[in-house]
Amino acid sequence: VLKKAVRSAPDDMDLMQRLADLYRQTGMIRDAVATHLQVAEAFQKKGLVKRALEEFGKVVDLDPKNLKNKIKLADLFNKEGMKDQAASIYLEVAESLGMEGKAAEAMQIVERAKSMTSAPQLFLSQSRLAVMATDYPGAAGALRDGLKSNPRSVELLEALAEIELRANNPDRAMEALAWIAAAIAVGMPGVVVFSVASKGASQLNLNLLTKSPIPFSLDNAPQGLANAFAGTLVIVALATAMALPTGILVAVYLNEFAPRSIRNGVSTAL
């Protein structure tokens, strides 16, 4: 029935989409792909790029091994200004071509992605293509280039360590692993600080300075750390009152009255 309806109204995209969905539900994948492609190209001609993207996405889901359709989808993402999505699909296609032994075509696709992104995935794909060609120096070089743009990327560092081990360069591999450890050591405190700051920012108000904590409080009464701040100020003031006069007297004595031997000894100790 839907076929007849489509034949009588070939420009009705809603009918075409319903027919494609029916093909997919009944397991007629080839017919579903062909129909979705027809709908996508029709939307593209009409300038309805977003709807065309949806249809091409369905085509890729139904036939993931068809690289030409993936390239069409990436081209549409690129035209729509969605560079990251386009680059991701281009790199996926490039790696698939590399596994098929089509190195030249793979590098052409990588060049398209290069103009859109400098994310770690670009350099990881380049290194994997180099490994497929058993070019370990080239793979390591791609990863080092990536680290210039993404110096904190743990993914790139891990891949570089693995490549250097394969190339029998244990010293360089250990260097990469050391950088990974450093990145984790620096990153974890940063995560803690960010978490505390993001969750505590809403509580920064005058109550923090003017109210004291209420033990075992179950309501939402305003609380703060006034007693802690006051105690800190008192301790600092007492310490200053005791240390400042003593420090001044000691400094005057050392500079004006103390023998050279005592001055030298104190200077060495300080």
Side-chain angles (χ1 to χ4, degrees), residues 203-212 222-226 229:
Q203 303 302 317
L204 294 177
N205 50 48
L206 285 177
N207 289 333
L208 184 68
L209 301 175
T210 60
K211 302 289 183 181
S212 296
Q223 301 186 50
L225 297 173
F229 287 122

Side-chain angles (χ1 to χ4, degrees), residues 7-250:
R7 287 171 189 167
S8 62
D11 295 330
D12 191 330
M13 293 298 101
D14 290 332
L15 282 176
M16 292 282 286
Q17 286 178 302
R18 289 171 59 190
L19 179 60
D21 291 337
L22 183 60
Y23 280 141
R24 182 171 52 184
Q25 292 168 8
T26 55
M28 301 171 68
I29 302 302
R30 289 186 180 179
D31 293 325
V33 168
T35 308
H36 279 304
L37 274 175
Q38 189 175 347
V39 174
E41 289 170 357
F43 282 141
Q44 193 175 0
K45 289 178 181 178
K46 293 179 179 180
L48 302 173
V49 180
K50 289 185 178 179
R51 298 193 67 179
L53 282 171
E54 293 176 3
E55 294 301 313
F56 271 118
K58 293 176 183 178
V59 170
V60 169
D61 289 339
L62 289 169
D63 189 12
K65 293 183 179 180
N66 192 316
L67 301 183
K68 290 183 179 179
N69 288 332
K70 285 188 176 182
I71 291 173
K72 287 181 180 179
L73 178 59
D75 289 341
L76 271 179
F77 274 127
N78 187 23
K79 287 181 181 178
E80 192 68 7
M82 304 167 75
K83 304 291 185 182
D84 291 339
Q85 293 90 329
S88 178
I89 296 173
Y90 281 137
L91 293 173
E92 184 181 338
V93 170
E95 291 191 37
S96 298
L97 289 170
M99 287 187 284
E100 294 176 4
K102 301 177 180 177
E105 294 180 36
M107 291 310 299
Q108 288 178 359
I109 298 297
V110 168
E111 289 301 321
R112 294 193 195 183
K114 269 187 179 180
S115 63
M116 301 175 190
T117 183
S118 60
Q121 186 58 40
L122 169 66
F123 304 98
L124 288 169
S125 294
Q126 283 183 288
S127 70
R128 283 193 281 264
L129 289 172
V131 169
M132 290 176 195
T134 63
D135 179 12
Y136 294 118
L143 293 170
R144 291 185 187 282
D145 288 342
L147 286 169
K148 292 177 183 178
S149 304
N150 308 275
R152 298 180 181 177
S153 173
V154 175
E155 286 180 302
L156 291 175
L157 288 167
E158 287 178 346
L160 180 59
E162 183 180 351
I163 293 298
E164 296 294 5
L165 283 174
R166 287 191 186 186
N168 294 320
N169 293 322
D171 292 341
R172 291 183 178 180
M174 290 305 298
E175 180 185 351
L177 291 173
W179 278 108
I180 293 172
I184 293 173
V186 172
M188 290 305 295
V191 171
V192 172
V193 170
F194 174 78
S195 177
V196 171
S198 60
K199 293 179 180 178
S202 60
Q203 303 302 317
L204 294 177
N205 50 48
L206 285 177
N207 289 333
L208 184 68
L209 301 175
T210 60
K211 302 289 183 181
S212 296
I214 305 174
F216 310 109
S217 175
L218 299 178
D219 56 14
N220 293 323
Q223 301 186 50
L225 297 173
N227 55 347
F229 287 122
T232 301
L233 291 174
V234 169
I235 291 172
V236 171
L238 288 174
T240 302
M242 288 186 289
L244 188 61
T246 304
I248 292 173
L249 290 173
V250 169

